[in-house]
C-alpha cells in the first residue's frame, strides 16, 4: 500500500473492498466495541459531563469567532516566552518552513511525535525529498511507517494490523531503519513493545531535532500541550536541542483555565481513561530544561476556508479524540483507509471535504459516508453536530453554491452529470443493503431522534425534482430506501 | 503580503457574519461544571489518590516523615538500584539511609548517561486524586523533565495532604503555566497492539509513589 492518500478511489469503492477484508473487520469490531464500552464508563464517572461538554463547545466556538484576536495574542505570548512563530498558509509553505528550519540546524534526521497536522501536509515525504529522514516514534505510527502503510484510526493508527503482521513488519524492516528487531522475536505485545523501545531509544538519545503537533495552545500564556501515553512525546519534546511544532490554527484556547475542561473530556473520550499516562506543557523555552530553540508553525491549509462556512465551521471545534469513529457503524465496517484522508470516520467525512474542497470524487463522496444515525454527535465532547454538517455538505455537492477556497469566494457548480448523485446512491446502497450496518444505525437512530438535523437532507431536495420523495426526517431513511428502491428498482 | 497577513485577512473575511459586539469571553463560556466530583474528607481524598494511582499500575506506598528514609532505602535495595539520579533540591535526609551512589543531574550530562542510571527519586508539585495523577513542575526538588523520563524506575514522593487536590480544575489553579509541566498518571503504557495494554514503552516502566503524611 502506498504512503499517500492521493489517488484514492472514492469512498464507496474503497469501502466495498474494505468490507470484504475479514481481518480488518474483525480487528475493527473488537477495537471499536472495546473502546466504546470503556468510554461510556469513564464518562459516567463525571456527573457534570453535560456541563463540561457545553463549556468545551462554547470555549471553542468563542475562540473561533474571534480567531484573529487569539492568534495575535498567542503569537505575542509565545514570542515573549522565547519561541519563534511562523505562519503557513498551506501545506507547501509549512513544509518549506520546517525543511528550512531543520536544515539550519545542520541535521539530516528528526524524531517525530504523532501529529495529524504533519500527516495532513505530507511533511515526512517533503523532508525525505530534501534528504532529511523523519522517524515516527509513536508505536502505532512506527508500525505504519515501517509497514509503508497509512494510518487508519486517529488514536490507534495501526488498528488494522494484528500482532502477527506487526511481528513480521518489525523483523523485516527495523534493520533498514536502525537497530534491528531481536532474533526470535515473538508476537506477544510486550515483546513487540520492547523491540520498539530499544529501536527508538537509540534514536531519541541522539536526536537533535524534534517535531511535534499540539493538542492545545493557550493564547493567554503561550503554552502548548501534548497529551500522550507512551512517553515518546516527552522524549521528542525534551531531549532534542531544537523543537518545531506544527499546529493547526484552530487548536487555540483563550486561557490557562480552559484546559480544565479539555483535560477532563479528552482522555475520557479518547482512550476512556481518567487521565492519559503523560501530559506535557511547555511555554517557549526554559533555561537548562528542554530544547534551547522552539519554533511554532501555525498552519492554515484550508482551515480559514472551513471557518468561512457558517454551518461547517463547527468542525474546527474538534479535539481529535476519535470517539466518533468508535461509535460509527459505517467506520466499523469500512475502516479508516476508505476515507482517503488522515482524518477518518465521521469527523473525516466533514473535515476533509472542507479542508480540501469537494473537487475530487473521494471528497465529493465523503459526505455520503454516513447513515446519519447521530451516534457521532452524541459522543462528541465538543458537541459537533456532524449529521448537520454532512447534510449541509451533501447539499453543496448536489446543488453547488458559494464556498471559500484559499481565501477567495467561489461559486461551486453542482456536480456534473449527476456524478454526485451516483456517488451518493452507490454509497447509500453499500450501507443500506448491509443489514448489520443499518440495524446498528437504526437502533441508535431511534434513541437519538432529538439530535437529528432539522433540515431536509440536501440530496433529497435535489432528487425530489424527479422522484416521488417524502420529507426524509419524517420517515426512517431505511424505509425510504427500501420503498424507493423496491418501487423504482434503484437508481444507477 | 506575508502569510501572517494573508491568514489573518482570511480569518477576518471568514468571520464577516460575527457582529462587532459579540458576546465577550466571560459571558460566552458558562462554567457551571463542578470544581470537584463528590464530597470527601481530606483523608478520603488521599485514599482516592492512592486507589486511582494503583488502578493505573503505579506502586503506592504510605509512610510518615520518620519512616521515609527507611522506606526509600528498602525500595531501592529491592530493585537492586546502585545509582540514583537526584534533582538538586531534593531533601538531603530522604536518601540518608540508602546505600546508593547519588548522581546529580548536570546540564552537561547526556541522555545516554542518564540512560545508564538505575533509578530517579523526586518530589512533586501537586497530585490529583480523582484522576490518579502526579504533576511535576521542574522545581529544584523535581529537576528537569528528562530525569524522570530516561531512567527506567521513578520514585515520586508526595506530601499528603498538602500536595493533594481533588480535581483537574483545582490542580490547574495551583500550577504556573510558565513552568514546563509533566502530568504523570501511572507508568508509560501503550495499547497500540490489538488494544492489549503494555506498560513501559519509553518512559519509566516502573512508577512508585510514596505518600508521606
Ligand atoms: S468530532 Fe468530536 S468525537 Fe469526533 S474526533 Fe472530533 S472531538 Fe472527537
Amino acid at each position: 500500500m502506498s504512503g499517500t492518500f492521493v489517488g484514492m478511489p472514492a469512498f464507496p469503492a474503497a469501502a466495498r473492498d474494505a468490507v470484504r477484508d475479514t481481518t480488518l473487520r474483525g480487528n475493527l469490531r473488537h477495537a471499536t466495541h472495546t473502546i466504546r464500552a470503556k468510554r461510556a464508563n469513564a464518562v459516567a464517572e463525571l456527573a457534570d459531563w453535560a456541563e463540561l461538554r457545553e463549556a468545551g463547545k462554547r470555549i471553542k466556538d468563542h475562540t473561533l469567532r474571534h480567531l484573529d484576536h487569539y492568534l495575535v495574542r498567542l503569537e505575542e505570548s509565545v514570542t515573549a516566552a522565547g519561541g519563534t512563530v511562523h505562519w503557513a498558509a498551506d501545506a507547501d509553505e509549512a513544509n518549506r518552513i520546517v525543511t528550512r528550519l531543520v536544515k539550519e540546524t545542520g541535521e539530516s534526521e528528526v524524531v517525530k511525535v504523532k501529529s495529524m497536522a504533519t500527516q495532513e501536509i505530507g511533511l515526512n515525504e517533503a523532508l525525505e525529498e530534501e534528504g532529511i529522514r523523519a522517524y515516527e516514534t509513536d508505536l502505532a505510527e512506527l508500525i505504519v511507517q515501517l509497514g509503508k502503510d497509512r494510518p487508519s484510526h486517529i488514536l490507534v493508527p495501526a488498528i488494522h494490523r494484528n500482532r502477527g503482521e506487526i511481528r513480521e513488519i518489525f523483523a523485516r524492516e527495523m534493520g533498514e531503519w536502525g537497530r534491528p528487531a531481536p532474533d526470535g522475536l515473538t508476537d506477544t505485545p510486550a515483546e513487540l513493545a520492547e523491540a520498539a523501545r530499544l529501536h527508538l531509544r537509540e534514536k531519541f538519545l541522539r536526536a537533535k531535532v524534534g517535531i511535534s503537533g499540539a493538542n492545545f495552545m493557550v493564547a493567554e500564556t503561550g503554552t502548548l500541550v501534548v497529551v500522550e501515553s507512551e512517553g515518546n512525546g516527552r522524549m521528542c519534546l525534551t531531549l532534542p536541542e531544537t523543537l518545531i511544532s506544527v499546529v493547526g490554527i484552530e487548536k487555540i484556547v483563550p486561557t490557562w483555565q480552559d484546559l480544565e475542561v479539555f483535560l477532563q473530556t479528552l482522555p475520557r473520550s479518547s482512550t476512556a481513561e481518567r487521565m492519559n499516562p503523560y501530559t506535557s506543557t511547555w511555554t517557549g523555552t526554559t533555561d537548562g530544561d528542554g530544547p534551547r530553540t522552539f519554533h511554532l508553525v501555525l498552519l492554515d491549509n484550508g482551515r480559514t476556508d472551513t471557518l468561512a462556512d457558517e454551518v461547517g465551521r463547527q468542525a474546527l471545534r474538534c479535539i481529535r479524540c476519535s470517539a466518533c469513529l468508535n461509535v460509527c457503524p459505517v467506520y466499523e465496517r469500512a475502516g479508516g483507509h476508505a476515507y482517503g484522508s488522515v482524518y477518518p470516520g465521521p469527523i473525516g467525512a466533514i473535515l476533509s471535504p472542507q479542508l480540501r474542497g469537494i473537487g475530487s470524487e473521494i471528497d465529493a463522496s465523503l459526505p455520503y459516508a454516513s447513515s446519519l444515525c447521530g451516534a457521532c454527535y452524541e459522543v462528541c465532547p465538543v458537541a459537533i453536530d456532524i449529521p448537520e454538517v454532512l447534510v449541509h455538505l451533501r447539499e453543496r455537492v448536489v446543488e453547488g453554491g458559494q464556498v471559500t477556497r484559499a481565501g477567495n469566494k467561489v461559486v461551486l457548480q453542482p456536480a456534473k452529470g449527476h456524478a454526485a448523485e451516483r456517488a451518493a446512491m452507490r454509497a447509500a446502497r453499500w450501507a443500506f443493503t448491509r443489514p448489520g450496518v443499518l440495524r446498528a444505525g437504526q437502533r441508535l437512530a431511534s434513541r437519538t431522534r432529538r439530535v437529528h438535523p432539522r433540515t431536509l437532507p440536501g440530496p433529497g431536495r435535489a432528487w425530489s425534482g424527479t422522484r416521488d420523495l417524502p420529507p426524509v426526517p419524517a420517515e426512517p431513511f431505511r424505509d425510504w430506501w427500501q420503498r424507493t428502491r423496491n418501487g423504482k428498482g434503484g437508481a444507477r | 503580503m506575508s502569510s501572517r497577513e494573508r491568514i489573518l485577512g482570511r480569518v477576518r473575511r471568514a468571520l464577516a457574519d460575527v457582529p462587532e459586539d459579540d458576546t465577550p469571553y466571560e459571558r460566552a463560556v458558562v462554567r457551571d461544571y463542578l470544581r470537584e466530583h463528590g464530597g470527601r474528607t481530606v483523608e478520603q481524598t488521599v485514599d482516592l489518590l492512592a486507589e486511582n494511582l494503583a488502578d493505573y499500575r503505579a506502586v503506592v506506598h504510605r509512610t510518615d516523615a520518620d519512616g521515609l528514609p527507611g522506606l526509600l532505602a528498602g525500595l531501592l535495595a529491592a530493585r537492586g538500584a546502585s545509582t540514583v539520579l537526584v534533582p538538586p533540591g531534593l531533601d538531603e535526609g530522604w536518601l540518608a539511609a540508602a546505600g546508593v551512589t547519588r548522581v546529580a543531574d548536570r546540564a552537561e550530562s547526556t541522555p545516554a548517561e542518564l540512560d545508564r542510571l538505575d533509578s530517579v527519586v523526586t518530589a512533586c508539585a501537586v497530585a490529583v486524586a480523582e484522576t490518579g495523577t502526579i504533576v511535576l513542575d521542574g522545581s529544584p526538588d523535581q529537576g528537569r523533565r528528562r530525569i524522570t523520563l530516561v531512567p527506567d524506575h521513578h520514585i515520586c514522593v508526595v506530601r499528603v495532604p498538602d500536595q493533594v487536590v481533588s480535581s483537574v480544575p483545582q490542580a490547574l489553579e495551583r500550577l504556573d503555566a510558565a513552568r514546563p509541566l509533566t502530568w504523570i498518571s501511572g507508568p508509560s503504557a501503550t495499547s497500540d497492539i490489538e488494544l492489549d495494554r503494555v506498560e513501559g514503552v519509553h518512559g519509566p516502566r516502573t512508577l512508585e509513589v510514596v505518600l508521606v503524611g
Side-chain angles (χ1 to χ4, degrees), chain A residues 30-32 34-35 45-48 51-52 55 58-59 62 64-68 70-72 75 87-89 93 137-141 143 155-159 161-164 166 187 189-190 192-194 196-197 200-201 204-205 221 223 229-232 234-235 237-239 249 254-261 263-264 268 272-283 286 288-291 298-302 304-305 307-308 310 313 406-409, chain B residues 2-37 51-53 55-56 105 107 110-116 128-138 143-152 154 167-205 207:
Chain A
H30 171 67
T32 55
T34 308
I35 305 179
E45 273 189 15
L46 299 189
D48 58 341
E51 288 79 12
L52 284 167
R58 288 184 179 221
I59 291 168
H62 170 84
L64 291 169
R65 287 169 74 88
H66 302 273
L67 192 58
D68 49 341
Y70 287 114
L71 280 167
V72 172
E75 182 186 42
W87 301 71
E93 186 172 18
T137 64
D138 171 77
L139 177 52
E141 291 292 348
I143 295 167
L155 178 72
V156 270
I159 197 73
R161 295 287 193 186
N162 54 35
R163 59 184 74 188
I166 296 168
D187 66 359
L192 294 170
E194 175 70 13
R197 177 185 175 96
L200 287 170
R201 186 152 281 232
F204 289 133
L205 298 188
T221 58
T223 308
S229 293
E230 294 172 9
N232 64 306
R234 295 180 61 195
M235 291 274 183
L237 299 172
T238 55
L239 296 187
I249 53 173
T255 69
W256 178 248
Q257 191 189 359
D258 295 324
L259 293 176
E260 70 190 16
V261 174
L263 289 183
Q264 294 191 80
R268 289 178 200 258
E273 292 168 305
R274 292 183 197 108
M275 189 61 90
N276 46 284
Y278 295 132
T279 297
S280 298
T281 77
W282 71 99
T283 305
T286 304
D289 186 354
L298 293 171
L299 178 71
D300 179 348
N301 204 36
T304 50
D305 294 341
L307 189 67
E310 288 173 38
R313 70 167 61 132
N408 300 312
K409 287 207 168 71
Chain B
S2 73
S3 291
R4 178 183 190 276
E5 286 165 52
R6 184 173 300 127
I7 293 170
L8 287 172
R10 285 180 188 176
V11 170
R12 285 173 189 137
R13 284 198 301 282
L15 294 172
D17 64 303
V18 177
E20 279 289 325
D21 58 347
D22 195 42
T23 322
Y25 169 79
E26 294 72 22
R27 277 195 289 124
V29 180
V30 180
R31 297 189 194 273
D32 54 358
Y33 49 83
L34 303 170
R35 303 309 298 171
E36 62 182 311
H37 296 85
E51 202 179 296
N52 283 338
L53 281 165
D55 196 32
Y56 281 172
D105 174 39
T110 64
E113 283 164 27
L114 300 182
D115 195 29
R116 289 193 284 272
V128 190
E130 287 179 8
T131 57
T133 305
I134 51 175
V135 187
L136 275 54
D137 72 356
R144 49 189 128 216
R145 286 170 282 175
R146 60 185 197 169
I147 70 170
T148 54
L149 173 64
V150 182
D152 203 19
H154 178 197
S167 65
V168 171
Q170 292 172 350
L172 280 160
E173 273 168 20
R174 281 212 197 178
L175 292 164
D176 178 358
R179 289 176 169 279
L181 304 180
T182 305
W183 300 54
I184 301 173
S185 309
S188 156
T190 183
S191 300
D192 280 346
I193 302 165
E194 295 182 19
L195 294 183
D196 267 2
R197 189 175 163 108
V198 178
E199 258 92 55
V201 194
H202 306 300
R205 278 178 287 197
L207 171 67

Side-chain angles (χ1 to χ4, degrees), chain A residues 330-464:
Chain A
V330 176
Y331 174 86
E332 184 186 324
R333 265 67 174 191
H337 289 156
Y339 293 80
S341 151
V342 294
Y343 304 107
I347 182 61
I350 62 168
L351 197 55
S352 307
Q354 295 199 85
L355 292 178
R356 303 193 296 210
I358 41 185
S360 74
E361 212 194 329
I362 178 90
D363 286 319
S365 72
L366 282 177
Y368 296 93
S370 168
S371 61
L372 298 183
C373 74
C376 48
Y377 170 60
E378 282 230 318
V379 296
C380 178
V382 284
I384 300 173
D385 193 340
I386 295 177
E388 183 189 22
V389 182
L390 284 166
V391 167
H392 170 72
L393 293 176
R394 288 181 186 187
E395 194 173 294
R396 278 279 167 284
V397 171
V398 175
E399 296 186 342
Q402 199 178 65
V403 294
T404 304
R405 295 309 302 159
N408 300 312
K409 287 207 168 71
V410 293
V411 177
L412 196 73
Q413 295 304 312
K416 269 200 219 83
H418 302 292
E421 188 183 333
R422 278 203 309 278
M425 293 307 277
R426 270 191 269 124
R429 178 178 308 118
W430 168 78
F432 288 92
T433 51
R434 280 166 181 80
V437 177
L438 201 55
R439 257 199 314 278
Q442 294 271 288
R443 255 201 325 274
L444 287 160
S446 59
R447 275 193 271 119
T448 58
R449 268 273 163 265
R450 68 200 158 73
V451 303
H452 280 203
R454 293 162 304 281
T455 42
L456 272 180
R461 229 180 272 169
W463 293 331
S464 54

